[in-house]
Amino acid sequence: MQCNVTGGIPVSKLDWATTNGVFSDRVVFSKLRNELIVDSVRVDDSADYFCIANNQVGIPVQKKTTLIVRNIGPMTYWLTPDPLRDDRSFAVNTDIKLTCHADAAPYSELTYFWYKKNSAGSRVSITERNAKDNIFLRFLNVEEKKRGFTFPAKSSQLEIRSLNEDDYGTYVCSARLAPNGTESFATIIVSRESAPAKIFASNSLVVVTEGSSALLQCRTSGKPKPLVLWFRNENTTLPSGEMQEVTQDGILTINQTSRDHADLYTCTTARFNGFSKLSKTQSEAVVELQVQYAPTVEPSYVEIRRS
């Protein structure tokens, strides 16, 4: 963000302020170009920034710039059968709900879209206007709890009442920021059969050299296919700084490994994803990361003084 000051005698002193209160350590001020630079911008950098000019004559003047940082996370979803039945499959004439949610910023620009794939694999849009008589679309503004399930606010829900043969198939929930923003989506299969989520580590031991990248991978099975949740042993933060990380492909990537990254990492099927009744029992696997590094030599010496 650049601030251009014209006129005024004596020369004005330039200062910056933000509605965030304080500037992070990633903010750099360039006096030569009258610039404020935010390095490696994050969602929490979204705020109003004020360029303030003051030459002690009259009141200070200011100019506001609004910074909006857009971000959308991976889609999560719930596939919930009729809560009055204990079915492990979706039988004809039952009611089911497909609920999806994406963490996004700003939420005011988030829009959900629903599709069903046809026999050719193409998406066919589902809207309130063209939906079948037994299909209903809802947007959840606030958190909603239904018979043991908690659906977060800002979620989208497709409800199928009295499920019939034509309702089986593959549904897609898509979320976008702004008209042409990045898409986050989930593919949800509605079928007569479902399979509990299982997970196993591709390699239980990963050995890398310090400074290189490490790929920790866990594979899953189940229908629908679950997301994979990673966390570190003993509640330690991941190398990314987060306590946990959700991956769609089951791969946790650690760039520029250090010896401090050597630890046990656990992958587990995300509780909130997939066929809810079966995903309540999570399965998990453990991957050990070993980081090799060169030794250091501390020379010993004897000081001799001649009298």
Side-chain angles (χ1 to χ4, degrees), residues 207-215 254-258 261 291-292:
V207 181
V208 297
T209 304
E210 189 172 39
S212 62
S213 298
L215 297 179
I254 304 175
N255 296 314
Q256 295 183 332
T257 54
S258 72
H261 295 153
V291 180
Q292 298 178 340

Side-chain angles (χ1 to χ4, degrees), residues 262-278:
D263 207 340
L264 297 178
Y265 294 80
T266 301
C267 58
T268 180
T269 53
R271 184 185 300 274
F272 47 74
N273 218 65
F275 189 68
S276 300
K277 283 185 176 290
L278 297 179

Side-chain angles (χ1 to χ4, degrees), residues 216-256:
L216 282 60
Q217 184 174 18
C218 285
R219 300 184 183 276
T220 60
S221 63
K223 189 175 182 179
K225 183 178 176 63
L227 295 180
V228 175
L229 179 67
W230 285 92
F231 57 92
R232 197 170 174 178
N233 192 37
E234 300 297 336
N235 293 322
T236 307
T237 57
L238 293 169
S240 62
E242 302 293 333
M243 290 300 298
Q244 60 186 30
E245 184 172 332
V246 178
T247 61
Q248 292 181 313
D249 55 8
I251 298 177
L252 178 67
T253 303
I254 304 175
N255 296 314
Q256 295 183 332

Side-chain angles (χ1 to χ4, degrees), residues 28-43:
V28 178
F29 302 96
S30 172
K31 293 183 178 180
L32 180 63
R33 298 175 57 87
N34 292 340
E35 288 180 338
L36 182 150
I37 303 169
V38 184
D39 188 31
S40 301
V41 69
R42 301 175 185 173
V43 170

Side-chain angles (χ1 to χ4, degrees), residues 97-100 112 114 128 136-142 144 146 151 155-159 161:
K97 291 181 179 179
L98 287 65
T99 310
C100 62
Y112 287 98
W114 283 95
E128 292 182 349
F136 302 88
L137 299 178
R138 296 178 59 215
F139 180 76
L140 308 182
N141 276 308
V142 297
E144 186 175 284
K146 294 287 186 180
F151 304 117
S155 299
S156 182
Q157 193 171 82
L158 184 148
E159 181 178 358
R161 299 177 185 173

